[in-house]
Amino acid sequence: MRVLVAHNRYQVRGGEDAAVARDLAALERAGCAVEAAYLDNAAIDSGLARLRAAVSATHAPAGIARVMEAVHRFAPDVVHVHNVFPLLSPGIHAAARAAGCATVQTLHNYRLICPGAFLMRDGAPCESCVTGSPYRAVRFACYRGSRIGSLAVARMVDVHRRAGTWRRDVDRFVALTPFARERFVAAGFPSDKIRIRPNGLPDPGPPAGHPRRGLVYVGRLSPEKGVLVLAEAAAAAGIRVTVIGEGPLAGTLADHPALDLRGPCAPNAVQAAMARAAAVVVPSLWYEGLPMVVAEAFAAGTPVVASRIGALASLVSDGTTGLLAAPGEPQDLARALARIEADPAAAAAMGREARAVYEREWREDVTTRALLEIYRDAVAARAADAPLAPTGT
């Protein structure tokens, strides 16, 4: 299998960039011939560059041309597309199919149906653009508080929705969770083309049998992540939570008596902190895609206390692999935190079940096999759709 991965990197490296890198390495280990075609948002380094990117985002001919150079040179069986905004655009699928390649699109977030990418507005879930006009996002400046930026994304969403790009030009989609699949189907994406496959994670090894202590939050310190709710809940429960990460709320939370802010840490230090913790807390207020912190916690044999919202409600089995609390409700979250602290044996049992779920669903070899099956499915679909060659007389 020859696979070309196309990805528009973010200016600040995040979970999606890391997931792409893990997939590339896993595919190579599985024996595939793999090449990556990257576009990088670090190149958008001025006001003029931002304006140019916004104007061209709907079709992004320069970005598509760069990827197609790699397609013609590398001759892949599959072009696997990840982030397309703003330097690539969904138009890459039509170009790749015209060159005879099968195409796959991973739906890491909701940007292809929501200009803000989070299905969230004013601190609460919002699905206005899922079935309605994406130009509603311009009124609320949903993309980074910018109406111009929001217009650029909304136009990309609208043009490709109307053009039938998703039904005509993409052979298979990869949704990270059943919840995400439902949202994209509601937005008009073809249900028969969407497969569910979570991001994989290399096995850190069996968890050590030492006693667990304390609660850990790992992630961005921003409102949609629910860290303000966590601070209030921890104070109400009389529990101190270790917080690893950075973000706009770092200053606000710096002196909070219930939080121990460690700032950003190296991946091995984060993994060690999770492996020592009684539980990892994910108090999000928005529809997370697939927060890898859950997979990382499960791999470490650590249960997760999460908000009962979006995909989190199915990723964490209440009372089995962790606990669920009402999103945005500090008292309910405090109850869950206190329950973990009060019953270490029950928390340890949930951690063992969490590790079993990781081995069954998120271990790298499992998810790589699933991805290769999606590729084979896409190649077969592409071959079935290919026009017949004219016969001789």
Side-chain angles (χ1 to χ4, degrees):
M1 182 76 70
R2 298 177 67 79
V3 182
L4 178 72
V5 171
H7 178 53
N8 190 153
R9 285 170 166 158
Y10 294 85
Q11 284 185 325
V12 177
R13 180 179 169 85
E16 189 172 327
D17 294 316
V20 172
R22 282 194 298 267
D23 272 357
L24 282 166
L27 289 168
E28 288 179 344
R29 284 191 285 269
C32 295
V34 186
E35 186 167 315
Y38 288 120
L39 294 100
D40 203 318
N41 282 352
I44 307 174
D45 56 2
S46 67
L48 180 58
R50 285 191 291 273
L51 181 60
R52 286 174 176 165
V55 169
S56 66
T58 300
H59 298 292
I64 290 176
R66 284 182 56 186
V67 174
M68 291 308 297
E69 287 176 7
V71 167
H72 294 310
R73 174 178 45 77
F74 183 62
D77 301 299
V78 176
V79 176
H80 186 169
V81 181
H82 292 270
N83 180 43
V84 297
F85 184 79
L87 299 177
L88 185 52
S89 100
I92 184 58
H93 291 286
R97 277 176 60 86
C101 306
T103 75
V104 173
Q105 171 75 58
T106 291
L107 305 168
H108 287 282
N109 55 43
Y110 300 103
R111 175 143 299 137
L112 299 181
I113 58 175
C114 165
F118 294 155
L119 291 182
M120 182 179 187
R121 181 166 59 82
D122 295 335
C126 171
E127 298 193 20
S128 295
C129 295
V130 171
T131 56
S133 169
Y135 292 107
R136 296 177 184 180
V138 180
R139 174 186 174 190
F140 299 105
C142 292
Y143 178 76
R144 299 185 178 182
S146 166
R147 286 191 170 87
I148 292 176
S150 299
L151 177 61
V153 192
R155 186 166 179 265
M156 180 189 76
V157 171
D158 182 57
V159 166
H160 289 283
R161 178 187 289 176
R162 291 176 183 273
T165 296
W166 310 125
R167 292 187 173 276
R168 183 188 62 245
D169 297 334
V170 184
D171 293 298
R172 291 295 179 265
F173 297 91
V174 179
L176 305 183
T177 66
F179 178 84
R181 182 183 186 276
E182 292 171 2
R183 306 282 32 86
F184 281 96
V185 170
F189 280 55
S191 61
D192 59 316
K193 291 187 175 184
I194 304 177
R195 303 291 182 265
I196 298 169
R197 178 259 181 186
N199 293 325
L201 188 69
D203 192 347
H210 54 70
R212 304 295 192 98
R213 295 186 59 188
L215 299 163
V216 174
Y217 168 89
V218 179
R220 182 168 168 77
L221 306 185
S222 54
E224 74 277 2
K225 292 291 188 178
V227 287
L228 295 176
V229 177
L230 173 60
E232 190 174 343
I239 295 171
R240 191 167 173 83
V241 177
T242 298
V243 175
I244 299 174
E246 59 185 338
L249 294 179
T252 302
L253 299 170
D255 298 321
H256 198 284
L259 303 181
D260 179 14
L261 267 63
R262 302 290 180 86
C265 296
N268 61 338
V270 173
Q271 187 177 72
M274 288 186 178
R276 293 191 299 266
V280 169
V281 190
V282 185
S284 294
L285 304 179
W286 73 290
Y287 295 155
E288 295 269 8
L290 177 63
M292 289 308 291
V293 66
V294 176
E296 290 164 357
F298 281 18
T302 306
V304 172
V305 177
S307 298
R308 188 182 287 104
I309 186 172
L312 289 172
S314 60
L315 293 174
V316 178
S317 179
D318 194 29
T320 303
T321 59
L323 299 174
L324 294 172
E329 297 289 342
Q331 292 302 319
D332 200 35
L333 181 57
R335 171 200 57 78
L337 301 182
R339 183 175 166 186
I340 293 289
E341 288 279 290
D343 197 343
M350 288 187 280
R352 289 191 292 273
E353 183 58 31
R355 170 68 188 185
V357 170
Y358 161 75
E359 292 179 350
R360 189 167 61 245
E361 299 180 10
W362 286 337
R363 201 174 61 197
E364 184 183 272
D365 61 321
V366 175
T367 58
T368 302
R369 283 197 299 271
L371 183 57
L372 289 172
E373 183 58 34
I374 291 169
Y375 288 164
R376 286 189 284 269
D377 197 16
V379 169
R382 178 72 184 96
D385 287 346
L388 294 176
T391 58
T393 58

